[in-house]
Amino acid sequence: MSATQQSAMSRRGFCACCAGAAGFAATGGWLSPSQAYAKARSIVDLIRDEAAKTPINVHRLRGKVSILEGSGGNIAVLTGADGKVFIDAGITASRPRILEASNSLSRDPIRHLINTHWHFDHADGNAWLNAEGAAIIAHENTHKHLLVAQRVEDWDYTFPSSPLAAVPAEVFSSDMTVELNGSKLALRHYEPAHTDSDISVTFGEVDILHCGDTYWNGIYPFIDYSTGGNIDGMIKAAEANVAGVTDKTIVIPGHGQPVSNKAELTEYRDMLVAIRDNVAKLKQQGRSLEQTIAAKPTATFDAKWGQFVIGPDFFTRLVYQGV
Ligand SMILES: [Zn+2]
């Protein structure tokens, strides 16, 4: 990858969602399946190695809610006498730094973990958090995907099944309310979007929404078609996120700058809609994937959104699959 991409990745932390994309970015073109496989394997290792040394940045939001940034997806933490509640678990290699950051917030033990979806960069730390005493809650499809090996076609990569301690013990299908530490957490399942297991977490009293990977702040998102994701679902989820917040809401994305707002979320939704329309038009004209990529349907957005590991070509390919 280029120096710019390298520094962008170091700055924002590595993300398994992007493993295959980084393979594309690195070569500027298509990889054969075996090349992609080798690349994805090495990048998953790279993500673990990077997480092992990346510092965790703590962002205090409102009330008892903070964000730990620097280990895969953005982790939210609610503190209090019932024990800490983690939203997402990050990468296992970050364990000592996450514990250090978590202890800097309060000495409450970690008692609950909620996964926003099944992906490695959000659930890899499930086993150690469970060993710390966290009961794991997630959508039933996260349970289903963690229980058996998962193949992600766009990375040409197969993740092994998780140890039982890492599999959510409490699951739900549409929504669930969790009352802990004097706060009411509303968990809501999205229709298939980034995957078929995505949920949002709303902290009602302090007006904070964690969108998981239905929202990537300022960067093109990954869409995992292998476990049910699709571009139209991503747009619907973005619409629901926009409709559910006000100008005062703090919006937490799965990836990208962790403290966001309605204006940035709206810009993200508009970007998805515009690129979907551009790609759909080209596909309806009968253009092949290669011809569609060559027509640069993302061009007006690339300077801002294409600077992370999901580059313009790879994002075009993800949208083309779903229109
Ligand atoms: Zn993800």
Side-chain angles (χ1 to χ4, degrees):
M1 66 194 74
S2 73
T4 314
Q5 283 160 341
Q6 184 89 55
S7 70
M9 287 183 79
S10 304
R11 225 178 27 249
R12 291 181 168 128
F14 284 95
C15 144
C17 292
C18 318
F24 285 93
T27 60
W30 300 97
L31 300 175
S32 71
S34 64
Q35 281 174 317
Y37 185 69
K39 199 82 200 173
R41 276 184 68 88
S42 68
I43 285 173
V44 169
D45 292 339
L46 210 61
I47 288 162
R48 292 186 193 279
D49 294 349
E50 188 68 16
K53 60 186 186 206
T54 302
I56 300 297
N57 287 327
V58 177
H59 304 260
R60 286 173 185 270
L61 302 184
R62 278 181 197 143
K64 298 171 179 172
V65 182
S66 300
I67 298 175
L68 310 184
E69 177 194 17
S71 179
N74 293 319
I75 298 169
V77 180
L78 171 71
T79 58
D82 296 331
K84 287 186 183 111
V85 183
F86 270 52
I87 317 299
D88 281 344
I91 308 288
T92 302
S94 310
R95 176 178 185 167
R97 271 156 305 284
I98 289 177
L99 275 174
E100 195 185 343
S102 171
N103 287 336
S104 79
L105 297 172
S106 78
R107 302 300 297 188
D108 308 316
I110 304 168
R111 285 284 173 259
H112 292 88
L113 163 63
I114 297 165
N115 289 134
T116 61
H117 62 297
W118 76 272
H119 278 158
F120 154 86
D121 48 331
H122 302 257
D124 188 56
N126 279 18
W128 80 258
L129 280 161
N130 179 258
E132 286 285 327
I136 308 176
I137 302 169
H139 186 260
E140 60 191 11
N141 288 341
T142 293
H143 177 270
K144 183 178 84 181
H145 293 314
L146 289 178
L147 212 49
V148 294
Q150 288 302 321
R151 176 155 184 82
V152 176
E153 280 305 328
D154 279 304
W155 307 338
D156 198 13
Y157 189 83
T158 302
F159 287 89
S161 62
S162 300
L164 276 181
V167 176
E170 191 166 358
V171 301
F172 64 97
S173 59
S174 73
D175 50 71
M176 177 175 173
T177 304
V178 177
E179 293 194 49
L180 290 164
N181 299 323
S183 299
K184 213 177 252 185
L185 278 61
L187 319 186
R188 209 162 294 138
H189 182 231
Y190 295 96
E191 292 299 302
H194 170 73
T195 66
D196 63 6
S197 63
D198 311 304
I199 63 164
S200 61
V201 180
T202 304
F203 301 84
E205 291 84 356
V206 286
D207 195 10
I208 296 172
L209 170 67
H210 194 318
C211 303
D213 276 1
T214 66
Y215 176 32
W216 295 45
N217 186 11
I219 47 185
Y220 290 140
F222 181 64
I223 304 169
D224 183 2
Y225 285 81
S226 288
T227 53
N230 69 85
I231 178 63
D232 287 341
M234 283 294 267
I235 291 171
K236 275 189 199 143
E239 301 280 10
N241 289 336
V242 170
V245 301
T246 71
D247 292 338
K248 295 192 178 70
T249 308
I250 295 177
V251 183
I252 307 173
H255 296 277
Q257 281 303 317
V259 189
S260 187
N261 54 45
K262 184 174 187 176
E264 290 174 343
L265 182 63
T266 304
E267 196 185 346
Y268 169 79
R269 188 267 323 266
D270 293 346
M271 176 277 294
L272 292 182
V273 170
I275 291 178
R276 188 222 179 269
D277 288 353
N278 291 348
V279 172
K281 251 174 240 154
L282 293 163
K283 192 169 180 179
Q284 279 154 18
Q285 288 166 9
R287 302 217 202 180
S288 68
L289 172 61
E290 287 70 22
Q291 290 165 336
T292 301
I293 289 172
K296 300 198 179 305
T298 64
T300 55
F301 296 95
D302 291 346
K304 173 178 168 126
W305 301 85
Q307 304 304 311
F308 196 44
V309 282
I310 305 289
D313 293 0
F314 191 71
F315 187 57
T316 301
R317 181 160 84 93
L318 293 173
V319 175
Y320 188 91
Q321 277 189 68
V323 296

